[in-house]
């Protein structure tokens, strides 16, 4: 793995919950292509985790969430050795609940995602993006505090 000049980055992703379901989309990316992942992206300079989560969700799906009601669930360390350019993310997982259950996600970045949909937590699609897959296998549950 060629790592000269490479540096870890911070990503913030969101478990957006609706009933027993979470919002997932199939990635279009050199990292985790075609796997189902949470909405989210890179933390910008000076941004709070909550601010980043709300911004990424709005940019990617058009869905609005309440910043005050968000909760930091966990943080994981993910090294992507298989990517054309190796990358390393410290990934912050936030939880949010939809404000209005009738809000429909829109695929606002179709070059990065095949489309968003709700998936029952007990019947998740495959393949999941591996950082998420690893959490699910370990028994992690975003519905628990
Ligand atoms: P941006 O330009 O909007 O900031 O970035 P992005 O294009 O939305 O970035 P991303 O790839 O969606 O997210 C950044 C990184 O976060 C991703 O390359 C790897 C890491 N990551 C995980 N798990 C997840 C996940 O479930 N969903 C997303 N979107 N990223 C994840 O470790
Ligand atoms: Mg993004
Ligand atoms: Mg993203």
């Amino acid at each position: 793995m060629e790592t000269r000049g490479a540096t870890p980055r911070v990503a913030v992703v969101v478990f957006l919950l609706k009933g027993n379901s979470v919002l997932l989309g199939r990635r279009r990316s050199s990292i985790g292509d075609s796997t189902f992942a949470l909405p989210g992206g890179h933390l910008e300079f000076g941004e709070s985790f909550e601010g980043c989560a709300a911004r990424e969700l709005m940019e990617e799906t058009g869905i609005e969430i309440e910043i005050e009601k968000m909760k930091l669930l966990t943080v994981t360390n993910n090294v992507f050795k298989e990517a054309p350019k190796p990358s390393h993310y410290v990934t912050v997982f936030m939880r949010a609940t939809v404000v209005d259950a009738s809000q429909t996600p829109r695929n606002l970045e179709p070059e990065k995602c095949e489309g968003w949909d709700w998936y029952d937590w007990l019947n998740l699609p495959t393949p999941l993006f591996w950082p998420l897959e690893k959490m699910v296998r370990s028994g992690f549950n975003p519905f628990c505090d």
Side-chain angles (χ1 to χ4, degrees), residues 36-140:
F36 288 90
L38 302 165
H42 301 92
L43 184 70
E44 292 183 356
F45 187 88
E47 206 170 33
S48 65
F49 295 154
E50 291 82 2
C52 179
R55 176 183 55 75
E56 285 289 340
L57 199 65
M58 179 53 74
E59 286 173 2
E60 297 183 354
T61 74
I63 288 183
E64 202 179 337
I65 45 176
E66 284 176 273
I67 290 205
E68 314 74 48
K69 292 195 181 159
M70 251 184 261
K71 183 176 157 67
L72 195 164
L73 296 178
T74 190
V75 177
T76 65
N77 190 40
N78 304 295
V79 180
F80 300 89
K81 295 179 184 150
E82 81 280 11
K85 199 166 135 252
S87 53
H88 180 174
Y89 284 96
V90 172
T91 310
V92 178
F93 292 82
M94 305 295 290
R95 176 175 68 199
T97 311
V98 288
V99 179
D100 168 5
S102 68
Q103 267 187 305
T104 311
R106 286 179 287 151
N107 192 16
L108 298 179
E109 294 179 343
E111 70 287 1
K112 291 186 181 179
C113 179
E114 287 184 17
W116 300 106
D117 211 343
W118 304 100
Y119 295 91
D120 193 302
W121 182 250
L122 298 176
N123 192 18
L124 292 171
T126 56
L128 290 175
F129 189 25
W130 73 252
L132 183 58
E133 169 77 23
K134 201 171 61 171
M135 288 167 77
V136 172
R137 278 176 195 244
S138 76
F140 178 82

